[in-house]
C-alpha cells in the first residue's frame, strides 16, 4: 500500500473523539453575536433605531448623522464582544463570500492611538475590485469598486471581527456581486405581490419572499480527503471504483448519526445559533457519510446570507473535528449527489403565507391566485430558471440518483391538478350565482382539506409544491442561492404585474366583479401553463419525448443552459423589473462561461497528474511483479509453466490494454484541451470544453476504475471509496 494511503487510513482510524458539551438553551444563545433588534434597542437612540427600521421596510436611505450613530453603537457593542476588526462582508461572482479586515484603530495627529469606526466606514468601503470576476465590466488595471452596507441583513461577530453584510458595485455603478440583483428582485416581487394581495386584504403594505434551504453535504476524514489530489483540487473524486456496498440498502438514510458527525454538528450548531442562523433539522442523508442541515424559514435575503455564512463556519468547524466537508454536487460516482433545495414562498406583513390556503373561500382564492401565477411564471421562463442552477459541478448531479432532470417541470399532485382542471371550465365573463356558489364551496372551499391529505412527494421534480411553498430541488449544494432566488422572484414579479393589469382591465372595461375577473384570468393561465405540470417519473425516456412535444427546454449542460440569459426576452425581463442592466446580464453570462471553462480545465489537468503520477506507475509496478512471477514459474517448471501461468498472462494483457487506453485518451484529452484554449470566443471555448474535452473524462475513468479492480490492493496508490465513505 502506498505510504500516503496507509498513513491516511492509519491516522483516520486512530482519531480521538472531540467531545462537545452543549450548555444553555438555544433560545438564550440565539443571536447573541448579532447586532439585531435587541442590540439596537440597547445601543441606539430612538431616532436611529426608527431610521434603521424604515430603511429595512421601505429601502429608504439612512442619513449620514444616523449612520455615525449606528457605527458608534456597533463599535461599542463589537468591542464589548471582543472584536478588534471590522469588515464589509460581500458576495463577489466567485460563488462564495469575500472580506477585507480593518482594525478599530487609528492614530491622532499627536501620535496617540484611538479606536475608530464611523458612519463613512460603515456605509461604504473601497476594496480592490480588479481580481474578482466581472465579465469585462472592470479591467484589471481599474481596481476601484465599492461595498455598500445592506441594513436589512444584520451585522454579526465572527471570531474577533465585526462582519457587515454589503453589496459590491463597480466604480461606474454596475453590480459585481450576487446580493445587489437579489435585493432588486426582492423589491420587485414586493411591489408586485403587494398590489395583488390588496385585492384580498387592503391592510397589506409589504410582501417579502421567504426561503428555507436544505443543505446537503458529505463528511470525510481530513487525512483521507487530503490523500486524494482530485478531492483537494476539484472537490470530487475523478476516479474510483464503487464500493461493494453503496446506498442500496438505504441503511444510512435517517439512521443514527455517527458519534464524530454528531459532535461536529453540535459544535457547528452552537456557533450558528449565536450568529443568528436558525438551524433546526439535522439528519443522515441517503448516501454513506452524507448529511443534511436545514433552518427555520427566513426572509430570502437574510436566508441567503445565513447559508453562505453556514458553509464558511462548516469548513472551519469541520477542520477542528478533523473532517473535510465536501459541498461538490457529485463528489462520488454511483451514489446520490448533494443539493440545496430552495423552499420558497411569499408572506405579507400581516402574517399571511400567500401560498397557504385559509379558512374562507376568499382566502383560498388568494392562495389560488399566487399558486397559479407562480406556475404561469415558471412555465413562461422555465429555461431561464434552468439556467439559474447551471454549473460545471451540478452538471454531474442533475438527472442521476434521485436528483431532478435538466427538464424543468412542476409537480403539484393529483388533487390540486383536479382543482385546476375544474377551474379550467369556468365560464368566460360574468359568473352565474350557481357557478359562484359551486366554485366557492366545492372547488375553492375544499382546498385546505385536499392539501391536508396530499402528502405526495416527487423526488425527481425540479419544482414541486409541498403544501405551503414551492421547493426548487435542482439547486446545487455549493451554489449561492442568491442566483436562483433572484431569477425566481424576478419572473414571479413580472407575472404578478401582468396578472394585475389583466384583472384591472376586466374590472374597468368589462365591468366584472373582482372575484369574477380573478377567476377569468386564472382560467386562461391554467390553460396556457398546462405543459409545465408533470407528476410522473422525471427520469423516463417517455417523459423526455413528451417534454419535447410540449416544447420544454432540455439543456443538459451549462453552456447550453446559460445561453438564454442574454436572449431578447430575458434582457427585457431584467430591465423591465429593474433587476439587471444588459451590461450586468452579459457580464454574468461571461463569468459563468469562464468559470465553467476553468473548472473543466482544472479537472483535465488533475486527470493528467493522476494518470501519469499515480495510475500508470502503479500498474507497471504490479505488472512487473506478475511478470517476475511468470518468469519464476518458467524457471521451475520449464515448458509446463504455460498452463500454470495462463491466468497471469491474461492479467498482464488486461492491465496493458487498460494502460494503452488510459494513455491514449489522456493524451487526446490534453490535445483537445489545448485546441479549446486557443479559441478566443468564450462561448465557443465553453462548448469546446463541454463537447470535446469532458467526454474523455468518463473514458479515462472507466479504464482507471478497471485497473483498480485488477491491481493488488496493497499496490493501489489512491484511497478507495470504501475507505472514504465507510471510515467514520
Amino acid at each position: 500500500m502506498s505510504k500516503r494511503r496507509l498513513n491516511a487510513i492509519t491516522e483516520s482510524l486512530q482519531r480521538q473523539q472531540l467531545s462537545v458539551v452543549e450548555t444553555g438553551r438555544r433560545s438564550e444563545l440565539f443571536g447573541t453575536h448579532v447586532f439585531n433588534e435587541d442590540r439596537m434597542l440597547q445601543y441606539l437612540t430612538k431616532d436611529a433605531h426608527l431610521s434603521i427600521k424604515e430603511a429595512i421596510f421601505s429601502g429608504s436611505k439612512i442619513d449620514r448623522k444616523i449612520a455615525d450613530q449606528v457605527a458608534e453603537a456597533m463599535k461599542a457593542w463589537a468591542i464589548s464582544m471582543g472584536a478588534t476588526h471590522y469588515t464589509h462582508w460581500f458576495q463577489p461572482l466567485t460563488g462564495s463570500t469575500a472580506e477585507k479586515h480593518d482594525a478599530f484603530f487609528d492614530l491622532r495627529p499627536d501620535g496617540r492611538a484611538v479606536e475608530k469606526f464611523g458612519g463613512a466606514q460603515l456605509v461604504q468601503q473601497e476594496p480592490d475590485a480588479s481580481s474578482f470576476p466581472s465579465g469585462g465590466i472592470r479591467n484589471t488595471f481599474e481596481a476601484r469598486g465599492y461595498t455598500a452596507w445592506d441594513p436589512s441583513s444584520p451585522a454579526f461577530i465572527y471570531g474577533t471581527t465585526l462582519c457587515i453584510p454589503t453589496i459590491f458595485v463597480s466604480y461606474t455603478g454596475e453590480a459585481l456581486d450576487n446580493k445587489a440583483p437579489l435585493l432588486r428582485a426582492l423589491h420587485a416581487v414586493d411591489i408586485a405581490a403587494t398590489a395583488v394581495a390588496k385585492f384580498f386584504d387592503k391592510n397589506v403594505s409589504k410582501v417579502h419572499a421567504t426561503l428555507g434551504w436544505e443543505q446537503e453535504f458529505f463528511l470525510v476524514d481530513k487525512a483521507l480527503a487530503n490523500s486524494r489530489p482530485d478531492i483537494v483540487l476539484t472537490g470530487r473524486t475523478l476516479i474510483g471504483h464503487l464500493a461493494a456496498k453503496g446506498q442500496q440498502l438505504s441503511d444510512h438514510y435517517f439512521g443514527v448519526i455517527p458519534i464524530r458527525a454528531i459532535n461536529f454538528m453540535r459544535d457547528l450548531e452552537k456557533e450558528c445559533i449565536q450568529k443568528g442562523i436558525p438551524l433546526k433539522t439535522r439528519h443522515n442523508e441517503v448516501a454513506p457519510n452524507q448529511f443534511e442541515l436545514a433552518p427555520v424559514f427566513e426572509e430570502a435575503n437574510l436566508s441567503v446570507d445565513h447559508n453562505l455564512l453556514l458553509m464558511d463556519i462548516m469548513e472551519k468547524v469541520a477542520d477542528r473535528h478533523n473532517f473535510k466537508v465536501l459541498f461538490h454536487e457529485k463528489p462520488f460516482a454511483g451514489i446520490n449527489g448533494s443539493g440545496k433545495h430552495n423552499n420558497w414562498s411569499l408572506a405579507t406583513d400581516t402574517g399571511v403565507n400567500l401560498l397557504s390556503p385559509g379558512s374562507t373561500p376568499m382566502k383560498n382564492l388568494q392562495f389560488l391566485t399566487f399558486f397559479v401565477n407562480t406556475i404561469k411564471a415558471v412555465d413562461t421562463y422555465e429555461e431561464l430558471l434552468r439556467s439559474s442552477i447551471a454549473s460545471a459541478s451540478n452538471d454531474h448531479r442533475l438527472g442521476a440518483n434521485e436528483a431532478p432532470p435538466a427538464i424543468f417541470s412542476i409537480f403539484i399532485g393529483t388533487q390540486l391538478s383536479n382543482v385546476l382542471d375544474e377551474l379550467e371550465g369556468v365560464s368566460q365573463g360574468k359568473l352565474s350565482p350557481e357557478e359562484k356558489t359551486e366554485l366557492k364551496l366545492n372547488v375553492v372551499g375544499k382546498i385546505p382539506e385536499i392539501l391536508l391529505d396530499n402528502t405526495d412527494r416527487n423526488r425527481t421534480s425540479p419544482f414541486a409544491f409541498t403544501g405551503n411553498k414551492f421547493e426548487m430541488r435542482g439547486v446545487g449544494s455549493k451554489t449561492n442561492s442568491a442566483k436562483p432566488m433572484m431569477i425566481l422572484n424576478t419572473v414571479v414579479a413580472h407575472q404578478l404585474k401582468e396578472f394585475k393589469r389583466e384583472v384591472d382591465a376586466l374590472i374597468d372595461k368589462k365591468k366584472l366583479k373582482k372575484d369574477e375577473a380573478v377567476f377569468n384570468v386564472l382560467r386562461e393561465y391554467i390553460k396556457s401553463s398546462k405543459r409545465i405540470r408533470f407528476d410522473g417519473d422525471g427520469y423516463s425516456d417517455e417523459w423526455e419525448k413528451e417534454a419535447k412535444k410540449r416544447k420544454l427546454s432540455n439543456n443538459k449542460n451549462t453552456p447550453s443552459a446559460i445561453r438564454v440569459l442574454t436572449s431578447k426576452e430575458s434582457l427585457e425581463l431584467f430591465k423591465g423589473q429593474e433587476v439587471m442592466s444588459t451590461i450586468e446580464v452579459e457580464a454574468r453570462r461571461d463569468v459563468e462561461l469562464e468559470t465553467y471553462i476553468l473548472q473543466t480545465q482544472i479537472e483535465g489537468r488533475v486527470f493528467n497528474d493522476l494518470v501519469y503520477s499515480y495510475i500508470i506507475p502503479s500498474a507497471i509496478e504490479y505488472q512487473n511483479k506478475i511478470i517476475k512471477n511468470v518468469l519464476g514459474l518458467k524457471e521451475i517448471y520449464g515448458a509446463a509453466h504455460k498452463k500454470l501461468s495462463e491466468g497471469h498472462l491474461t492479467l498482464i494483457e488486461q492491465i496493458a490494454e487498460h494502460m494503452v487506453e488510459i494513455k491514449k485518451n489522456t493524451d487526446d484529452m490534453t490535445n483537445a484541451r489545448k485546441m479549446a484554449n486557443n479559441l478566443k470566443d468564450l462561448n465557443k471555448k465553453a462548448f469546446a470544453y463541454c463537447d470535446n474535452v469532458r467526454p474523455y473524462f468518463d473514458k479515462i475513468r472507466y479504464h482507471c476504475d478497471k485497473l483498480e479492480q485488477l491491481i493488488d490492493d496493497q499496490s493501489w496508490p489512491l484511497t478507495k471509496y470504501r475507505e472514504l465513505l465507510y471510515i467514520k
Side-chain angles (χ1 to χ4, degrees), residues 123-134:
V123 172
Q124 182 175 299
Q125 288 284 83
E126 188 181 327
D128 186 339
S130 62
S131 297
F132 289 112
S134 70

Side-chain angles (χ1 to χ4, degrees), residues 58 102 114 192 275 335 470 487:
S58 65
D102 287 296
V114 62
K275 291 169 182 59
I335 56 176
F470 280 100
I487 290 180

Side-chain angles (χ1 to χ4, degrees), residues 87-128:
T87 183
H88 275 201
W89 187 74
F90 58 102
Q91 304 171 27
L93 298 177
T94 57
S96 56
T97 60
E99 54 197 58
K100 181 188 74 161
H101 296 197
D102 287 296
F104 292 121
F105 175 82
D106 204 355
L107 290 176
R108 291 179 175 177
D110 60 5
R112 287 188 296 171
V114 62
E115 289 163 333
K116 182 179 178 182
F117 180 63
Q121 289 79 38
L122 168 64
V123 172
Q124 182 175 299
Q125 288 284 83
E126 188 181 327
D128 186 339

Side-chain angles (χ1 to χ4, degrees), residues 89-91 97 150 152-156 164-167 178-179 182-183 211 213 275 277 298-313 480-482:
W89 187 74
F90 58 102
Q91 304 171 27
T97 60
D150 170 21
S152 65
S153 185
F156 56 91
I164 303 158
T166 59
I167 63 170
N178 287 296
K179 180 186 271 280
L182 173 64
L183 289 173
L211 170 64
W213 36 263
K275 291 169 182 59
I277 305 173
E298 297 180 284
E299 184 276 327
N301 174 49
L302 181 58
S303 185
V304 167
D305 283 0
H306 279 163
N307 180 249
L308 292 170
L309 178 58
L310 168 91
M311 293 169 74
D312 185 55
I313 298 172
N480 181 343
S481 292

